[in-house]
Amino acid sequence: MPLLPTLSTFFIVLSAVLVAIGWRLIVKNKRKAHKGVMISAAISALTFFIIYLSRTIFVGNTSFGGPDDIKIYYTIFLIFHIILATVGAVFGIVTLTLAFKRNIAKHRRIGPVTSIIWFCTAITGVAVYMLLYIIYDGGTTTSMIKAILGT
């Protein structure tokens, strides 16, 4: 298993687990604990993003190495995951901003939606990881820098 993709996948799963714990805490009206766990979830998601972005720039992205007859389904699934992750990140930033600005009424409305989107993002992210590195051997990997510089 490649280190950076495994590590980044760990952090995205950890962030989703922490969101679930935070949701449970707020249901129990444990506001201070909720805040701490949700900040930890955000830090975990940010750690994922830093690892993912660094790997994409310096090491590269791995192409799908599975059978050609299912590559189109993988690609469609990957595009769905990328859109979901982007929407989830935007919702996450908005939800955190509302909480930090103490706009709790809006935070309460958008928080559950954000959480569900994030759970789906984590699940589809793990599926992408499994398809790229566990179920099938990964394809070729080319860094963004090499692709830009043509080296």
Side-chain angles (χ1 to χ4, degrees):
M1 287 187 288
L3 178 63
L4 291 178
T6 304
L7 200 55
S8 65
T9 301
F10 166 79
F11 279 108
I12 208 62
V13 169
L14 177 61
S15 73
V17 169
L18 290 170
V19 167
I21 292 168
W23 194 342
R24 181 82 173 132
L25 288 168
I26 202 61
V27 166
K28 292 184 171 192
N29 206 28
K30 296 182 178 184
R31 292 182 182 153
K32 189 173 181 179
H34 167 78
K35 181 179 179 180
V37 169
M38 293 310 234
I39 289 171
S40 297
I43 291 168
S44 180
L46 183 60
T47 303
F48 155 81
F49 185 70
I50 290 167
I51 294 168
Y52 175 80
L53 188 62
S54 299
R55 181 178 188 278
T56 298
I57 292 169
F58 298 109
V59 177
N61 283 326
T62 303
S63 63
F64 181 66
D68 286 340
D69 58 336
I70 65 167
K71 185 174 184 175
I72 186 65
Y73 301 109
Y74 168 79
T75 303
I76 292 167
F77 185 77
L78 179 62
I79 291 167
F80 172 74
H81 167 70
I82 291 168
I83 292 168
L84 192 63
T86 303
V87 170
V90 171
F91 267 69
I93 292 165
V94 169
T95 303
L96 285 167
T97 302
L98 289 170
F100 286 126
K101 288 186 171 185
R102 306 294 302 149
N103 191 338
I104 302 305
K106 285 185 181 176
H107 175 79
R108 281 183 181 157
R109 283 196 304 272
I110 196 172
V113 174
T114 304
S115 298
I116 291 166
I117 292 170
W118 203 248
F119 298 146
C120 293
T121 299
I123 291 165
T124 58
V126 169
V128 168
Y129 172 82
M130 298 282 291
L131 289 166
L132 278 181
Y133 303 107
I134 307 297
I135 298 170
Y136 303 108
D137 292 330
T140 58
T141 301
T142 305
S143 75
M144 187 183 295
I145 289 176
K146 285 182 183 177
I148 291 169
L149 298 177
T151 59

PDB file of all heavy atoms in Angstrom, residues 8 25 31-32 34 39-40 44 51 58 60 63 65 67 71 83 89 96 98 125 129 143 150:
ATOM      1  N   SER A   8      -3.620   9.814   3.628  1.00  0.00           N
ATOM      2  CA  SER A   8      -4.680  10.788   3.353  1.00  0.00           C
ATOM      3  C   SER A   8      -6.064  10.167   3.514  1.00  0.00           C
ATOM      4  O   SER A   8      -6.978  10.808   4.049  1.00  0.00           O
ATOM      5  CB  SER A   8      -4.512  11.416   1.965  1.00  0.00           C
ATOM      6  OG  SER A   8      -4.663  10.472   0.950  1.00  0.00           O
ATOM      7  N   LEU A  25     -22.639  14.287  20.085  1.00  0.00           N
ATOM      8  CA  LEU A  25     -22.438  15.175  21.242  1.00  0.00           C
ATOM      9  C   LEU A  25     -23.433  16.330  21.264  1.00  0.00           C
ATOM     10  O   LEU A  25     -23.957  16.675  22.329  1.00  0.00           O
ATOM     11  CB  LEU A  25     -21.001  15.706  21.250  1.00  0.00           C
ATOM     12  CG  LEU A  25     -19.926  14.699  21.625  1.00  0.00           C
ATOM     13  CD1 LEU A  25     -18.545  15.249  21.313  1.00  0.00           C
ATOM     14  CD2 LEU A  25     -20.045  14.293  23.090  1.00  0.00           C
ATOM     15  N   ARG A  31     -22.243  21.011  24.166  1.00  0.00           N
ATOM     16  CA  ARG A  31     -21.782  22.002  23.195  1.00  0.00           C
ATOM     17  C   ARG A  31     -20.271  22.167  23.159  1.00  0.00           C
ATOM     18  O   ARG A  31     -19.688  22.270  22.079  1.00  0.00           O
ATOM     19  CB  ARG A  31     -22.453  23.339  23.461  1.00  0.00           C
ATOM     20  CG  ARG A  31     -23.934  23.297  23.170  1.00  0.00           C
ATOM     21  CD  ARG A  31     -24.583  24.627  23.392  1.00  0.00           C
ATOM     22  NE  ARG A  31     -26.014  24.493  23.145  1.00  0.00           N
ATOM     23  CZ  ARG A  31     -26.922  25.254  23.702  1.00  0.00           C
ATOM     24  NH1 ARG A  31     -26.572  26.212  24.524  1.00  0.00           N
ATOM     25  NH2 ARG A  31     -28.193  25.055  23.423  1.00  0.00           N
ATOM     26  N   LYS A  32     -19.635  22.239  24.314  1.00  0.00           N
ATOM     27  CA  LYS A  32     -18.189  22.446  24.351  1.00  0.00           C
ATOM     28  C   LYS A  32     -17.453  21.254  23.727  1.00  0.00           C
ATOM     29  O   LYS A  32     -16.528  21.433  22.926  1.00  0.00           O
ATOM     30  CB  LYS A  32     -17.720  22.680  25.788  1.00  0.00           C
ATOM     31  CG  LYS A  32     -16.282  23.105  25.884  1.00  0.00           C
ATOM     32  CD  LYS A  32     -15.900  23.483  27.308  1.00  0.00           C
ATOM     33  CE  LYS A  32     -14.443  23.915  27.334  1.00  0.00           C
ATOM     34  NZ  LYS A  32     -14.013  24.321  28.664  1.00  0.00           N
ATOM     35  N   HIS A  34     -18.755  19.159  21.593  1.00  0.00           N
ATOM     36  CA  HIS A  34     -19.120  19.192  20.174  1.00  0.00           C
ATOM     37  C   HIS A  34     -18.164  20.109  19.405  1.00  0.00           C
ATOM     38  O   HIS A  34     -17.624  19.721  18.359  1.00  0.00           O
ATOM     39  CB  HIS A  34     -20.565  19.676  20.023  1.00  0.00           C
ATOM     40  CG  HIS A  34     -20.956  20.049  18.629  1.00  0.00           C
ATOM     41  ND1 HIS A  34     -21.258  19.119  17.665  1.00  0.00           N
ATOM     42  CD2 HIS A  34     -21.086  21.270  18.030  1.00  0.00           C
ATOM     43  CE1 HIS A  34     -21.565  19.747  16.534  1.00  0.00           C
ATOM     44  NE2 HIS A  34     -21.466  21.046  16.738  1.00  0.00           N
ATOM     45  N   ILE A  39     -13.915  20.829  15.513  1.00  0.00           N
ATOM     46  CA  ILE A  39     -12.665  21.490  15.109  1.00  0.00           C
ATOM     47  C   ILE A  39     -11.621  20.426  14.769  1.00  0.00           C
ATOM     48  O   ILE A  39     -10.896  20.545  13.773  1.00  0.00           O
ATOM     49  CB  ILE A  39     -12.180  22.464  16.202  1.00  0.00           C
ATOM     50  CG1 ILE A  39     -13.109  23.677  16.264  1.00  0.00           C
ATOM     51  CG2 ILE A  39     -10.731  22.892  15.951  1.00  0.00           C
ATOM     52  CD1 ILE A  39     -12.869  24.599  17.444  1.00  0.00           C
ATOM     53  N   SER A  40     -11.573  19.364  15.556  1.00  0.00           N
ATOM     54  CA  SER A  40     -10.655  18.257  15.256  1.00  0.00           C
ATOM     55  C   SER A  40     -10.995  17.609  13.912  1.00  0.00           C
ATOM     56  O   SER A  40     -10.098  17.242  13.150  1.00  0.00           O
ATOM     57  CB  SER A  40     -10.699  17.201  16.366  1.00  0.00           C
ATOM     58  OG  SER A  40     -10.249  17.749  17.583  1.00  0.00           O
ATOM     59  N   SER A  44      -8.546  17.409  10.726  1.00  0.00           N
ATOM     60  CA  SER A  44      -8.292  16.133  10.054  1.00  0.00           C
ATOM     61  C   SER A  44      -8.575  16.244   8.556  1.00  0.00           C
ATOM     62  O   SER A  44      -7.796  15.758   7.727  1.00  0.00           O
ATOM     63  CB  SER A  44      -9.147  15.029  10.690  1.00  0.00           C
ATOM     64  OG  SER A  44      -8.913  13.803  10.067  1.00  0.00           O
ATOM     65  N   ILE A  51      -2.088  16.721   2.427  1.00  0.00           N
ATOM     66  CA  ILE A  51      -1.392  15.524   1.919  1.00  0.00           C
ATOM     67  C   ILE A  51      -1.782  15.266   0.464  1.00  0.00           C
ATOM     68  O   ILE A  51      -0.925  15.019  -0.386  1.00  0.00           O
ATOM     69  CB  ILE A  51      -1.699  14.288   2.791  1.00  0.00           C
ATOM     70  CG1 ILE A  51      -1.114  14.464   4.194  1.00  0.00           C
ATOM     71  CG2 ILE A  51      -1.160  13.004   2.144  1.00  0.00           C
ATOM     72  CD1 ILE A  51      -1.609  13.438   5.204  1.00  0.00           C
ATOM     73  N   PHE A  58       3.591  17.003  -6.324  1.00  0.00           N
ATOM     74  CA  PHE A  58       4.974  16.519  -6.348  1.00  0.00           C
ATOM     75  C   PHE A  58       5.142  15.066  -6.790  1.00  0.00           C
ATOM     76  O   PHE A  58       6.145  14.725  -7.400  1.00  0.00           O
ATOM     77  CB  PHE A  58       5.629  16.735  -4.978  1.00  0.00           C
ATOM     78  CG  PHE A  58       5.708  18.181  -4.610  1.00  0.00           C
ATOM     79  CD1 PHE A  58       4.920  18.702  -3.606  1.00  0.00           C
ATOM     80  CD2 PHE A  58       6.549  19.037  -5.302  1.00  0.00           C
ATOM     81  CE1 PHE A  58       4.979  20.045  -3.278  1.00  0.00           C
ATOM     82  CE2 PHE A  58       6.618  20.391  -4.988  1.00  0.00           C
ATOM     83  CZ  PHE A  58       5.828  20.896  -3.966  1.00  0.00           C
ATOM     84  N   GLY A  60       2.137  12.962  -7.925  1.00  0.00           N
ATOM     85  CA  GLY A  60       1.191  12.805  -9.019  1.00  0.00           C
ATOM     86  C   GLY A  60      -0.040  12.025  -8.633  1.00  0.00           C
ATOM     87  O   GLY A  60      -0.179  11.539  -7.515  1.00  0.00           O
ATOM     88  N   SER A  63      -3.427   6.694 -12.183  1.00  0.00           N
ATOM     89  CA  SER A  63      -4.542   6.346 -13.060  1.00  0.00           C
ATOM     90  C   SER A  63      -5.118   4.987 -12.654  1.00  0.00           C
ATOM     91  O   SER A  63      -4.464   4.201 -11.974  1.00  0.00           O
ATOM     92  CB  SER A  63      -4.082   6.313 -14.521  1.00  0.00           C
ATOM     93  OG  SER A  63      -3.118   5.301 -14.705  1.00  0.00           O
ATOM     94  N   GLY A  65      -5.915   1.302 -12.765  1.00  0.00           N
ATOM     95  CA  GLY A  65      -5.174   0.182 -13.333  1.00  0.00           C
ATOM     96  C   GLY A  65      -5.999  -1.071 -13.523  1.00  0.00           C
ATOM     97  O   GLY A  65      -5.470  -2.120 -13.891  1.00  0.00           O
ATOM     98  N   PRO A  67      -9.438  -3.331 -15.080  1.00  0.00           N
ATOM     99  CA  PRO A  67      -9.826  -3.722 -16.440  1.00  0.00           C
ATOM    100  C   PRO A  67     -10.414  -2.558 -17.247  1.00  0.00           C
ATOM    101  O   PRO A  67     -11.149  -1.732 -16.708  1.00  0.00           O
ATOM    102  CB  PRO A  67     -10.899  -4.800 -16.221  1.00  0.00           C
ATOM    103  CG  PRO A  67     -10.775  -5.209 -14.796  1.00  0.00           C
ATOM    104  CD  PRO A  67     -10.150  -4.087 -14.048  1.00  0.00           C
ATOM    105  N   LYS A  71     -13.358   0.785 -16.687  1.00  0.00           N
ATOM    106  CA  LYS A  71     -12.705   2.080 -16.492  1.00  0.00           C
ATOM    107  C   LYS A  71     -13.704   3.233 -16.584  1.00  0.00           C
ATOM    108  O   LYS A  71     -13.627   4.182 -15.810  1.00  0.00           O
ATOM    109  CB  LYS A  71     -11.580   2.274 -17.506  1.00  0.00           C
ATOM    110  CG  LYS A  71     -10.791   3.532 -17.278  1.00  0.00           C
ATOM    111  CD  LYS A  71      -9.605   3.635 -18.203  1.00  0.00           C
ATOM    112  CE  LYS A  71      -8.796   4.877 -17.851  1.00  0.00           C
ATOM    113  NZ  LYS A  71      -7.586   4.966 -18.613  1.00  0.00           N
ATOM    114  N   ILE A  83     -16.899  15.910  -7.262  1.00  0.00           N
ATOM    115  CA  ILE A  83     -17.961  16.915  -7.113  1.00  0.00           C
ATOM    116  C   ILE A  83     -18.497  16.905  -5.681  1.00  0.00           C
ATOM    117  O   ILE A  83     -18.653  17.957  -5.051  1.00  0.00           O
ATOM    118  CB  ILE A  83     -19.086  16.689  -8.147  1.00  0.00           C
ATOM    119  CG1 ILE A  83     -18.568  16.975  -9.558  1.00  0.00           C
ATOM    120  CG2 ILE A  83     -20.312  17.554  -7.830  1.00  0.00           C
ATOM    121  CD1 ILE A  83     -19.489  16.509 -10.676  1.00  0.00           C
ATOM    122  N   ALA A  89     -16.677  20.234   0.981  1.00  0.00           N
ATOM    123  CA  ALA A  89     -15.689  21.170   1.519  1.00  0.00           C
ATOM    124  C   ALA A  89     -16.283  22.577   1.648  1.00  0.00           C
ATOM    125  O   ALA A  89     -16.098  23.244   2.673  1.00  0.00           O
ATOM    126  CB  ALA A  89     -14.443  21.189   0.642  1.00  0.00           C
ATOM    127  N   LEU A  96     -18.681  25.782   9.432  1.00  0.00           N
ATOM    128  CA  LEU A  96     -17.729  26.213  10.469  1.00  0.00           C
ATOM    129  C   LEU A  96     -17.783  27.725  10.660  1.00  0.00           C
ATOM    130  O   LEU A  96     -17.764  28.219  11.794  1.00  0.00           O
ATOM    131  CB  LEU A  96     -16.313  25.786  10.092  1.00  0.00           C
ATOM    132  CG  LEU A  96     -16.003  24.305  10.260  1.00  0.00           C
ATOM    133  CD1 LEU A  96     -14.699  23.958   9.549  1.00  0.00           C
ATOM    134  CD2 LEU A  96     -15.935  23.930  11.729  1.00  0.00           C
ATOM    135  N   LEU A  98     -20.279  29.767  10.109  1.00  0.00           N
ATOM    136  CA  LEU A  98     -21.511  30.105  10.830  1.00  0.00           C
ATOM    137  C   LEU A  98     -21.357  29.844  12.332  1.00  0.00           C
ATOM    138  O   LEU A  98     -21.799  30.646  13.155  1.00  0.00           O
ATOM    139  CB  LEU A  98     -22.697  29.296  10.277  1.00  0.00           C
ATOM    140  CG  LEU A  98     -23.183  29.689   8.883  1.00  0.00           C
ATOM    141  CD1 LEU A  98     -24.186  28.660   8.364  1.00  0.00           C
ATOM    142  CD2 LEU A  98     -23.793  31.094   8.901  1.00  0.00           C
ATOM    143  N   GLY A 125     -14.646   8.261  -1.114  1.00  0.00           N
ATOM    144  CA  GLY A 125     -13.192   8.388  -1.111  1.00  0.00           C
ATOM    145  C   GLY A 125     -12.505   7.072  -0.796  1.00  0.00           C
ATOM    146  O   GLY A 125     -11.515   6.699  -1.437  1.00  0.00           O
ATOM    147  N   TYR A 129     -10.034   4.841  -3.216  1.00  0.00           N
ATOM    148  CA  TYR A 129      -8.763   4.299  -2.714  1.00  0.00           C
ATOM    149  C   TYR A 129      -8.701   2.781  -2.918  1.00  0.00           C
ATOM    150  O   TYR A 129      -7.697   2.247  -3.394  1.00  0.00           O
ATOM    151  CB  TYR A 129      -8.603   4.654  -1.233  1.00  0.00           C
ATOM    152  CG  TYR A 129      -7.427   3.979  -0.577  1.00  0.00           C
ATOM    153  CD1 TYR A 129      -6.148   4.513  -0.700  1.00  0.00           C
ATOM    154  CD2 TYR A 129      -7.589   2.808   0.163  1.00  0.00           C
ATOM    155  CE1 TYR A 129      -5.056   3.897  -0.102  1.00  0.00           C
ATOM    156  CE2 TYR A 129      -6.510   2.186   0.760  1.00  0.00           C
ATOM    157  CZ  TYR A 129      -5.244   2.725   0.622  1.00  0.00           C
ATOM    158  OH  TYR A 129      -4.172   2.109   1.202  1.00  0.00           O
ATOM    159  N   SER A 143       3.448  13.306 -11.851  1.00  0.00           N
ATOM    160  CA  SER A 143       3.261  14.511 -11.041  1.00  0.00           C
ATOM    161  C   SER A 143       2.827  15.677 -11.914  1.00  0.00           C
ATOM    162  O   SER A 143       3.118  15.727 -13.109  1.00  0.00           O
ATOM    163  CB  SER A 143       4.544  14.875 -10.303  1.00  0.00           C
ATOM    164  OG  SER A 143       5.488  15.437 -11.181  1.00  0.00           O
ATOM    165  N   GLY A 150       7.020  18.951 -18.697  1.00  0.00           N
ATOM    166  CA  GLY A 150       7.264  18.017 -19.788  1.00  0.00           C
ATOM    167  C   GLY A 150       8.492  17.147 -19.579  1.00  0.00           C
ATOM    168  O   GLY A 150       9.126  16.707 -20.529  1.00  0.00           O
TER     169      GLY A 150
END
